Amino acid sequence: MDPWLLILIFAAIWAATFWPAWKLFMVLASEVVRPGTVRWARLVWIFVVYRLVIAAPYLAVLVLGSGTLGPIISGLLVGLIILGLVTSLLRLFATQTVLGWLWRIYANVYDGLLFFYPYRHLLELQANRIRVGANAHIIDLGCGSGNMLPLLAAQFPKAAITAVDPTPGMLRRAERKAKTLGREITFKQSDGLAFLRTVPDASVDAVVMSNVLYTFDNRKDMWPELLRTLKPGGMAVITNSDRPGSGAIIKEHLRHDAWWRLLHPKLLMTGIVDAFISELSKVGAFHFVDQKTLQKEVTAAGGIISDPVRCYGGEVDGVNLLFTVTRR
């Protein structure tokens, strides 16, 4: 069969099965996270149907093109079917195992984002929003590999800076960066909420949270703790994704930087990890919340959200919301 005809058949079947596959996935996710005993017979049946629908375009090409594809292409298609099956099993039934490996991989490639203009600009926008005194106490909560630390150290040379992250690999990289800054920074390996609970009342001038809010599954507990730690006049400067998509981010990069930087291996790997994070958010492992929800949560905790703007893809199409939280 003509290869172009096979491509058209694949595209047509993929388009026809996309919506049914999405609906089946949402049913699966609701079965996995539903309270009470898991209904295994129903779960397995839905999972089998879901994977068959997902695999339908690939299976059709394998059957119709059996005489023309060749062993390499056929093997690749079979590999994609198997990879999809394994990925679905992991993200649905072994979320915590996936998360452990995910953060280990992320720690090794996260600095690839430094080749990405929108990410560098995001950090600059966030650092420039901080308004504190010279001898302030600043917490970088969820500091990752420490990419915010050089900005904080340069902007607040006399401030006491504490960097917090639960991933050992991330902290090791952050500590190495801190050694090049010529000043002391305190590092704590801890879950964000657990760390906030150890901070004395009204002792912090600013808290910075760069793309970490989505990892909190207990935000209703986190907001009161965060506000409690802030001094009168203190602030939390937060950025977090609240919509999917990468088109706007890539366009922003191309407007300001060279296209070939997008091909850096570590940056490509961060894109793959981000895709896994997006998929895991569909089964409740992560939480990309909208502005209205955030507003309700912060208000209920006794805080105020001010100056929300879009970024990480531009002021109109950006996928991130940058905002400031203060005590009421």
Side-chain angles (χ1 to χ4, degrees), residues 33-75:
V33 301
R34 69 190 294 271
T37 305
V38 176
R39 297 177 292 184
W40 286 106
R42 172 179 167 81
L43 191 63
V44 170
W45 170 247
I46 297 172
F47 183 80
V48 170
V49 174
Y50 165 68
R51 286 312 314 174
L52 285 174
V53 171
I54 289 288
Y58 304 91
L59 293 172
V61 171
L62 282 170
V63 172
L64 296 174
S66 58
T68 58
L69 290 177
I72 295 178
I73 300 299
S74 297

Short mmCIF file of all heavy atoms in Angstrom, two decimals, residues 33-75:
data_model
loop_
_atom_site.label_atom_id
_atom_site.label_comp_id
_atom_site.label_asym_id
_atom_site.label_seq_id
_atom_site.Cartn_x
_atom_site.Cartn_y
_atom_site.Cartn_z
N VAL A 33 -9.02 7.00 41.36
CA VAL A 33 -8.95 7.91 42.51
C VAL A 33 -10.22 7.93 43.34
O VAL A 33 -10.27 8.61 44.36
CB VAL A 33 -8.63 9.35 42.03
CG1 VAL A 33 -7.32 9.39 41.29
CG2 VAL A 33 -9.76 9.91 41.16
N ARG A 34 -11.25 7.18 42.95
CA ARG A 34 -12.50 7.20 43.69
C ARG A 34 -12.31 6.62 45.08
O ARG A 34 -11.52 5.70 45.27
CB ARG A 34 -13.60 6.44 42.94
CG ARG A 34 -13.36 4.93 42.91
CD ARG A 34 -14.32 4.24 41.97
NE ARG A 34 -15.67 4.30 42.42
CZ ARG A 34 -16.24 3.41 43.23
NH1 ARG A 34 -15.54 2.39 43.70
NH2 ARG A 34 -17.50 3.52 43.59
N PRO A 35 -12.99 7.18 46.08
CA PRO A 35 -12.87 6.65 47.44
C PRO A 35 -13.48 5.26 47.54
O PRO A 35 -14.37 4.90 46.77
CB PRO A 35 -13.64 7.66 48.29
CG PRO A 35 -14.61 8.30 47.34
CD PRO A 35 -13.91 8.33 46.01
N GLY A 36 -12.97 4.47 48.49
CA GLY A 36 -13.53 3.13 48.69
C GLY A 36 -12.76 2.07 47.92
O GLY A 36 -11.67 2.30 47.40
N THR A 37 -13.34 0.90 47.84
CA THR A 37 -12.70 -0.25 47.20
C THR A 37 -12.69 -0.09 45.68
O THR A 37 -13.68 0.27 45.08
CB THR A 37 -13.45 -1.55 47.56
OG1 THR A 37 -13.51 -1.66 48.98
CG2 THR A 37 -12.73 -2.76 46.99
N VAL A 38 -11.53 -0.39 45.08
CA VAL A 38 -11.41 -0.32 43.63
C VAL A 38 -12.19 -1.48 43.00
O VAL A 38 -12.06 -2.63 43.41
CB VAL A 38 -9.93 -0.41 43.20
CG1 VAL A 38 -9.82 -0.44 41.68
CG2 VAL A 38 -9.15 0.75 43.78
N ARG A 39 -13.00 -1.16 41.99
CA ARG A 39 -13.76 -2.19 41.27
C ARG A 39 -12.89 -2.74 40.15
O ARG A 39 -12.92 -2.27 39.02
CB ARG A 39 -15.06 -1.58 40.75
CG ARG A 39 -15.99 -1.11 41.86
CD ARG A 39 -17.24 -0.43 41.32
NE ARG A 39 -16.95 0.83 40.67
CZ ARG A 39 -17.91 1.64 40.19
NH1 ARG A 39 -19.18 1.31 40.30
NH2 ARG A 39 -17.57 2.79 39.62
N TRP A 40 -12.10 -3.77 40.47
CA TRP A 40 -11.05 -4.22 39.57
C TRP A 40 -11.58 -4.77 38.25
O TRP A 40 -10.98 -4.52 37.20
CB TRP A 40 -10.17 -5.25 40.27
CG TRP A 40 -9.26 -4.62 41.27
CD1 TRP A 40 -9.38 -4.67 42.63
CD2 TRP A 40 -8.11 -3.83 41.00
NE1 TRP A 40 -8.38 -3.95 43.22
CE2 TRP A 40 -7.58 -3.43 42.25
CE3 TRP A 40 -7.48 -3.41 39.82
CZ2 TRP A 40 -6.44 -2.64 42.34
CZ3 TRP A 40 -6.35 -2.63 39.92
CH2 TRP A 40 -5.83 -2.25 41.16
N ALA A 41 -12.65 -5.53 38.29
CA ALA A 41 -13.18 -6.09 37.04
C ALA A 41 -13.57 -4.97 36.07
O ALA A 41 -13.22 -5.01 34.88
CB ALA A 41 -14.37 -7.00 37.33
N ARG A 42 -14.27 -3.99 36.56
CA ARG A 42 -14.67 -2.85 35.73
C ARG A 42 -13.44 -2.07 35.27
O ARG A 42 -13.34 -1.65 34.11
CB ARG A 42 -15.61 -1.95 36.54
CG ARG A 42 -15.96 -0.63 35.85
CD ARG A 42 -16.92 0.18 36.73
NE ARG A 42 -17.03 1.56 36.27
CZ ARG A 42 -17.81 1.97 35.28
NH1 ARG A 42 -18.54 1.08 34.62
NH2 ARG A 42 -17.86 3.24 34.95
N LEU A 43 -12.48 -1.88 36.18
CA LEU A 43 -11.28 -1.12 35.86
C LEU A 43 -10.48 -1.79 34.74
O LEU A 43 -10.04 -1.13 33.79
CB LEU A 43 -10.41 -0.99 37.11
CG LEU A 43 -9.24 0.00 37.04
CD1 LEU A 43 -9.75 1.42 36.84
CD2 LEU A 43 -8.42 -0.08 38.33
N VAL A 44 -10.28 -3.09 34.85
CA VAL A 44 -9.51 -3.82 33.83
C VAL A 44 -10.23 -3.77 32.49
O VAL A 44 -9.60 -3.57 31.44
CB VAL A 44 -9.29 -5.28 34.27
CG1 VAL A 44 -8.70 -6.10 33.12
CG2 VAL A 44 -8.35 -5.33 35.48
N TRP A 45 -11.54 -3.94 32.48
CA TRP A 45 -12.30 -3.91 31.23
C TRP A 45 -12.17 -2.54 30.55
O TRP A 45 -11.92 -2.45 29.34
CB TRP A 45 -13.75 -4.26 31.51
CG TRP A 45 -14.69 -4.04 30.36
CD1 TRP A 45 -15.68 -3.14 30.27
CD2 TRP A 45 -14.69 -4.75 29.11
NE1 TRP A 45 -16.31 -3.22 29.05
CE2 TRP A 45 -15.74 -4.21 28.32
CE3 TRP A 45 -13.93 -5.79 28.59
CZ2 TRP A 45 -16.02 -4.67 27.05
CZ3 TRP A 45 -14.22 -6.26 27.31
CH2 TRP A 45 -15.25 -5.70 26.56
N ILE A 46 -12.35 -1.48 31.32
CA ILE A 46 -12.23 -0.13 30.74
C ILE A 46 -10.81 0.12 30.24
O ILE A 46 -10.60 0.71 29.17
CB ILE A 46 -12.62 0.94 31.79
CG1 ILE A 46 -14.08 0.79 32.20
CG2 ILE A 46 -12.41 2.35 31.23
CD1 ILE A 46 -14.48 1.68 33.36
N PHE A 47 -9.81 -0.35 31.00
CA PHE A 47 -8.43 -0.14 30.60
C PHE A 47 -8.12 -0.84 29.28
O PHE A 47 -7.45 -0.26 28.41
CB PHE A 47 -7.49 -0.67 31.69
CG PHE A 47 -6.03 -0.44 31.39
CD1 PHE A 47 -5.45 0.79 31.63
CD2 PHE A 47 -5.24 -1.46 30.87
CE1 PHE A 47 -4.12 1.02 31.34
CE2 PHE A 47 -3.91 -1.23 30.57
CZ PHE A 47 -3.34 0.00 30.81
N VAL A 48 -8.60 -2.08 29.12
CA VAL A 48 -8.35 -2.83 27.88
C VAL A 48 -8.99 -2.10 26.69
O VAL A 48 -8.35 -1.93 25.63
CB VAL A 48 -8.89 -4.27 27.99
CG1 VAL A 48 -8.87 -4.96 26.62
CG2 VAL A 48 -8.06 -5.07 28.99
N VAL A 49 -10.23 -1.66 26.85
CA VAL A 49 -10.90 -0.95 25.76
C VAL A 49 -10.17 0.36 25.45
O VAL A 49 -9.95 0.71 24.28
CB VAL A 49 -12.38 -0.67 26.14
CG1 VAL A 49 -13.04 0.20 25.07
CG2 VAL A 49 -13.14 -1.97 26.31
N TYR A 50 -9.76 1.06 26.49
CA TYR A 50 -9.03 2.32 26.32
C TYR A 50 -7.75 2.12 25.52
O TYR A 50 -7.47 2.86 24.57
CB TYR A 50 -8.72 2.90 27.71
CG TYR A 50 -7.68 3.99 27.72
CD1 TYR A 50 -7.94 5.24 27.15
CD2 TYR A 50 -6.43 3.78 28.32
CE1 TYR A 50 -6.98 6.25 27.17
CE2 TYR A 50 -5.47 4.78 28.34
CZ TYR A 50 -5.75 6.01 27.76
OH TYR A 50 -4.80 6.99 27.78
N ARG A 51 -6.96 1.10 25.87
CA ARG A 51 -5.70 0.86 25.18
C ARG A 51 -5.94 0.41 23.74
O ARG A 51 -5.16 0.75 22.84
CB ARG A 51 -4.85 -0.16 25.91
CG ARG A 51 -4.20 0.32 27.17
CD ARG A 51 -3.48 1.64 27.04
NE ARG A 51 -2.62 1.75 25.87
CZ ARG A 51 -2.00 2.84 25.50
NH1 ARG A 51 -2.17 3.95 26.20
NH2 ARG A 51 -1.24 2.88 24.44
N LEU A 52 -6.99 -0.36 23.49
CA LEU A 52 -7.30 -0.77 22.11
C LEU A 52 -7.68 0.44 21.25
O LEU A 52 -7.29 0.52 20.08
CB LEU A 52 -8.43 -1.80 22.10
CG LEU A 52 -8.06 -3.21 22.55
CD1 LEU A 52 -9.30 -4.09 22.64
CD2 LEU A 52 -7.04 -3.83 21.59
N VAL A 53 -8.44 1.36 21.83
CA VAL A 53 -8.81 2.58 21.09
C VAL A 53 -7.56 3.40 20.79
O VAL A 53 -7.38 3.90 19.67
CB VAL A 53 -9.83 3.41 21.90
CG1 VAL A 53 -10.05 4.77 21.24
CG2 VAL A 53 -11.15 2.66 22.00
N ILE A 54 -6.67 3.54 21.78
CA ILE A 54 -5.43 4.29 21.59
C ILE A 54 -4.57 3.64 20.52
O ILE A 54 -3.95 4.31 19.68
CB ILE A 54 -4.64 4.37 22.91
CG1 ILE A 54 -5.35 5.29 23.90
CG2 ILE A 54 -3.22 4.85 22.67
CD1 ILE A 54 -5.27 6.75 23.56
N ALA A 55 -4.51 2.31 20.52
CA ALA A 55 -3.63 1.59 19.60
C ALA A 55 -4.22 1.42 18.20
O ALA A 55 -3.51 1.02 17.28
CB ALA A 55 -3.29 0.21 20.18
N ALA A 56 -5.51 1.74 18.04
CA ALA A 56 -6.18 1.48 16.76
C ALA A 56 -5.46 2.05 15.54
O ALA A 56 -5.28 1.35 14.53
CB ALA A 56 -7.62 1.99 16.82
N PRO A 57 -5.01 3.31 15.55
CA PRO A 57 -4.31 3.84 14.37
C PRO A 57 -3.04 3.07 14.03
O PRO A 57 -2.74 2.82 12.86
CB PRO A 57 -4.00 5.29 14.75
CG PRO A 57 -4.93 5.62 15.87
CD PRO A 57 -5.14 4.34 16.60
N TYR A 58 -2.28 2.68 15.07
CA TYR A 58 -1.04 1.95 14.85
C TYR A 58 -1.31 0.54 14.34
O TYR A 58 -0.62 0.05 13.42
CB TYR A 58 -0.24 1.89 16.15
CG TYR A 58 0.05 3.24 16.75
CD1 TYR A 58 -0.83 3.81 17.68
CD2 TYR A 58 1.18 3.95 16.39
CE1 TYR A 58 -0.57 5.06 18.23
CE2 TYR A 58 1.44 5.21 16.93
CZ TYR A 58 0.57 5.75 17.85
OH TYR A 58 0.82 6.99 18.39
N LEU A 59 -2.31 -0.13 14.93
CA LEU A 59 -2.66 -1.48 14.50
C LEU A 59 -3.15 -1.49 13.06
O LEU A 59 -2.82 -2.40 12.28
CB LEU A 59 -3.73 -2.07 15.44
CG LEU A 59 -3.27 -2.33 16.88
CD1 LEU A 59 -4.48 -2.72 17.74
CD2 LEU A 59 -2.22 -3.43 16.90
N ALA A 60 -3.94 -0.47 12.69
CA ALA A 60 -4.45 -0.39 11.32
C ALA A 60 -3.30 -0.28 10.32
O ALA A 60 -3.30 -0.95 9.27
CB ALA A 60 -5.39 0.79 11.18
N VAL A 61 -2.32 0.56 10.64
CA VAL A 61 -1.17 0.73 9.75
C VAL A 61 -0.34 -0.56 9.68
O VAL A 61 0.13 -0.95 8.60
CB VAL A 61 -0.30 1.91 10.22
CG1 VAL A 61 1.02 1.96 9.44
CG2 VAL A 61 -1.04 3.21 10.05
N LEU A 62 -0.18 -1.23 10.83
CA LEU A 62 0.57 -2.49 10.83
C LEU A 62 -0.09 -3.54 9.95
O LEU A 62 0.58 -4.26 9.19
CB LEU A 62 0.70 -3.01 12.27
CG LEU A 62 1.77 -2.35 13.14
CD1 LEU A 62 1.61 -2.80 14.58
CD2 LEU A 62 3.16 -2.66 12.63
N VAL A 63 -1.42 -3.64 10.03
CA VAL A 63 -2.15 -4.66 9.25
C VAL A 63 -2.18 -4.28 7.77
O VAL A 63 -1.82 -5.09 6.90
CB VAL A 63 -3.58 -4.81 9.80
CG1 VAL A 63 -4.40 -5.73 8.87
CG2 VAL A 63 -3.55 -5.39 11.21
N LEU A 64 -2.57 -3.05 7.45
CA LEU A 64 -2.71 -2.64 6.05
C LEU A 64 -1.37 -2.48 5.35
O LEU A 64 -1.28 -2.64 4.12
CB LEU A 64 -3.49 -1.33 5.97
CG LEU A 64 -4.94 -1.39 6.47
CD1 LEU A 64 -5.57 0.00 6.48
CD2 LEU A 64 -5.77 -2.34 5.61
N GLY A 65 -0.33 -2.17 6.12
CA GLY A 65 0.97 -1.97 5.50
C GLY A 65 1.94 -3.10 5.75
O GLY A 65 3.16 -2.90 5.65
N SER A 66 1.43 -4.29 6.06
CA SER A 66 2.29 -5.42 6.42
C SER A 66 3.29 -5.78 5.32
O SER A 66 4.37 -6.27 5.60
CB SER A 66 1.43 -6.64 6.75
OG SER A 66 0.59 -6.97 5.65
N GLY A 67 2.94 -5.50 4.07
CA GLY A 67 3.85 -5.85 2.99
C GLY A 67 4.78 -4.75 2.56
O GLY A 67 5.68 -4.97 1.73
N THR A 68 4.62 -3.54 3.10
CA THR A 68 5.40 -2.41 2.62
C THR A 68 6.17 -1.65 3.70
O THR A 68 7.08 -0.89 3.38
CB THR A 68 4.48 -1.39 1.91
OG1 THR A 68 3.47 -0.97 2.85
CG2 THR A 68 3.80 -2.01 0.70
N LEU A 69 5.85 -1.85 4.96
CA LEU A 69 6.48 -1.05 6.01
C LEU A 69 7.94 -1.39 6.26
O LEU A 69 8.75 -0.51 6.53
CB LEU A 69 5.70 -1.19 7.32
CG LEU A 69 4.32 -0.55 7.37
CD1 LEU A 69 3.66 -0.86 8.70
CD2 LEU A 69 4.42 0.96 7.17
N GLY A 70 8.27 -2.66 6.19
CA GLY A 70 9.62 -3.08 6.53
C GLY A 70 9.77 -3.33 8.02
O GLY A 70 8.98 -2.83 8.82
N PRO A 71 10.78 -4.08 8.42
CA PRO A 71 10.92 -4.47 9.83
C PRO A 71 11.20 -3.31 10.77
O PRO A 71 10.76 -3.32 11.92
CB PRO A 71 12.12 -5.45 9.80
CG PRO A 71 12.87 -5.11 8.55
CD PRO A 71 11.85 -4.65 7.57
N ILE A 72 11.92 -2.28 10.32
CA ILE A 72 12.27 -1.18 11.22
C ILE A 72 11.03 -0.37 11.58
O ILE A 72 10.76 -0.11 12.77
CB ILE A 72 13.33 -0.27 10.57
CG1 ILE A 72 14.64 -1.04 10.39
CG2 ILE A 72 13.55 0.98 11.44
CD1 ILE A 72 15.73 -0.24 9.71
N ILE A 73 10.25 0.03 10.59
CA ILE A 73 9.04 0.81 10.86
C ILE A 73 8.03 -0.02 11.64
O ILE A 73 7.40 0.48 12.59
CB ILE A 73 8.41 1.30 9.54
CG1 ILE A 73 9.39 2.18 8.78
CG2 ILE A 73 7.13 2.07 9.82
CD1 ILE A 73 9.81 3.42 9.52
N SER A 74 7.88 -1.28 11.26
CA SER A 74 6.95 -2.16 12.00
C SER A 74 7.36 -2.29 13.45
O SER A 74 6.53 -2.22 14.36
CB SER A 74 6.89 -3.54 11.33
OG SER A 74 6.39 -3.45 10.02
N GLY A 75 8.67 -2.49 13.67
CA GLY A 75 9.16 -2.60 15.05
C GLY A 75 8.95 -1.32 15.84
O GLY A 75 8.62 -1.35 17.03
#
